[in-house]
Amino acid sequence: ADAENAKGECSNFEYEHKASGGVTAFPLSGKYNGSFLVNAPHGGAKTKIEEKNVMLKFRENTEGYHNVEGKGSNVWGKYSITGTLTKE
């Protein structure tokens, strides 16, 4: 496994949440869909990996950012997400 992506095999993850009604809160906890690209062995074409119904929870922290926790699954199985959402 290469959790730090030191080999550069994965692109950035992109997630999108479809809010109903006039919800303007950000970030919004809930279900997200997204994807990322994986490099093929030996320099072949990249493969898009789709992820659906990824549950993300955001909690504001003392630094003014948000802690992120979540769960999801893709073609390789179930996983958990932990991290920090910053202004970047």
Side-chain angles (χ1 to χ4, degrees):
D2 184 17
E4 299 298 322
N5 197 30
K7 297 176 185 175
E9 294 176 342
C10 292
S11 67
N12 291 333
F13 291 74
E14 295 183 21
Y15 291 111
E16 180 178 44
H17 178 75
K18 302 271 187 188
S20 59
V23 178
T24 58
F26 179 82
L28 189 62
S29 295
K31 289 184 180 181
Y32 284 73
N33 295 325
S35 63
F36 62 97
L37 299 175
V38 176
N39 292 332
H42 313 294
K46 293 184 178 189
T47 301
K48 186 174 185 177
I49 305 299
E50 299 279 345
E51 300 184 312
K52 297 183 181 194
N53 298 320
V54 178
M55 288 297 300
L56 297 178
K57 293 181 184 178
F58 299 93
R59 291 193 193 125
E60 190 169 358
N61 61 32
T62 58
E63 301 295 319
Y65 301 120
H66 290 84
N67 294 335
V68 184
E69 294 181 359
K71 293 181 181 181
S73 64
N74 58 30
V75 295
W76 290 294
K78 294 180 181 181
Y79 59 85
S80 61
I81 296 172
T82 57
T84 305
L85 173 66
T86 62
K87 294 180 181 180
E88 294 180 13

